[in-house]
Amino acid sequence: ISIISVALSAVIAIVMAIFDFGVWSLVAYQVVNSLVVTILSLYTTRYKVSFKFSIRSFKHLFSFGVFTTLATVIDTVYENIIVNFFGKNLSIQQAGLLYQAKRIEEVPTQSIATTVTNVSFPILTKLRFESSKFVVECSSIFKMVLLMILPLLACISFFSTPIISLLFGEQWTDAGPYLKLLIFAGIFKIAETLNRTF
């Protein structure tokens, strides 16, 4: 589903860009991507959409959903505060360097966090009524993820300047120190995502 949606939306966005739609091609990419993912997900799961509101279901799911929603809202507010803070207190050049470093940092940290969540959540759900096995499995997942990501993130941090130079060109090499710090912070982001999943 992801491959099909990205491919289709990318083709549409590229065609729109060729025909001078400008930034609307980027908007179309996002809209088409989300639409195709939704349609294909509904088709493959055979899920029947219902527009009824169930108070019983709401009460049952509220205790779980309120905390994950609250954590997501806090995370989003935090990210926006940081962006506004740096935007107001840094020069345009420094803000641009930080932005490019952030783009590179998000690729491994978000990919790892999303993958770990998608893989571990179903496993842990099966153990929700077996406390001792649940704790052992959480500990095992946490150690395994840290064992895999620490060397990867250490390499990215160590080679931050050459990576930025390779991806964005020599004019962006000053973003290297920002990437080093952001990669270090990414370790805690992954740990926080794991804890939220647990």
Side-chain angles (χ1 to χ4, degrees), residues 20 25 36 50 68-70 72 75-76 81-82 87 109 135 146 187:
D20 291 328
S25 57
V36 171
S50 172
T68 56
T69 303
L70 186 62
T72 304
D75 191 41
T76 303
I81 287 172
I82 294 297
T109 56
V135 170
L146 287 181
I187 295 167

Side-chain angles (χ1 to χ4, degrees), residues 24 29 45 70 82 99 105-106 108 152 157 166 189 197-198:
W24 289 106
Y29 173 83
T45 60
L70 186 62
I82 294 297
Y99 175 74
E105 175 267 333
E106 286 175 344
L152 172 69
S157 179
L166 178 71
K189 176 74 173 172
T197 301
F198 299 155

Side-chain angles (χ1 to χ4, degrees), residues 55-134:
I55 292 189
R56 187 173 65 85
S57 179
F58 177 78
K59 287 179 180 177
H60 176 70
L61 296 172
F62 182 79
S63 62
F64 170 75
V66 71
F67 296 113
T68 56
T69 303
L70 186 62
T72 304
V73 168
I74 290 170
D75 191 41
T76 303
V77 168
Y78 168 75
E79 287 289 331
N80 287 321
I81 287 172
I82 294 297
V83 168
N84 287 329
F85 175 78
F86 285 126
K88 290 178 181 175
N89 295 306
L90 293 177
S91 66
I92 292 174
Q93 181 185 8
Q94 294 298 315
L97 294 172
L98 179 64
Y99 175 74
Q100 294 293 34
K102 182 77 173 144
R103 284 178 54 197
I104 294 173
E105 175 267 333
E106 286 175 344
V107 171
T109 56
Q110 286 186 352
S111 298
I112 292 167
T114 302
T115 302
V116 168
T117 300
N118 291 343
V119 171
S120 64
F121 192 77
I123 294 167
L124 295 173
T125 302
K126 292 176 184 174
L127 302 173
R128 68 186 178 275
F129 298 118
E130 302 176 49
S131 299
S132 59
K133 287 183 181 178
F134 182 83

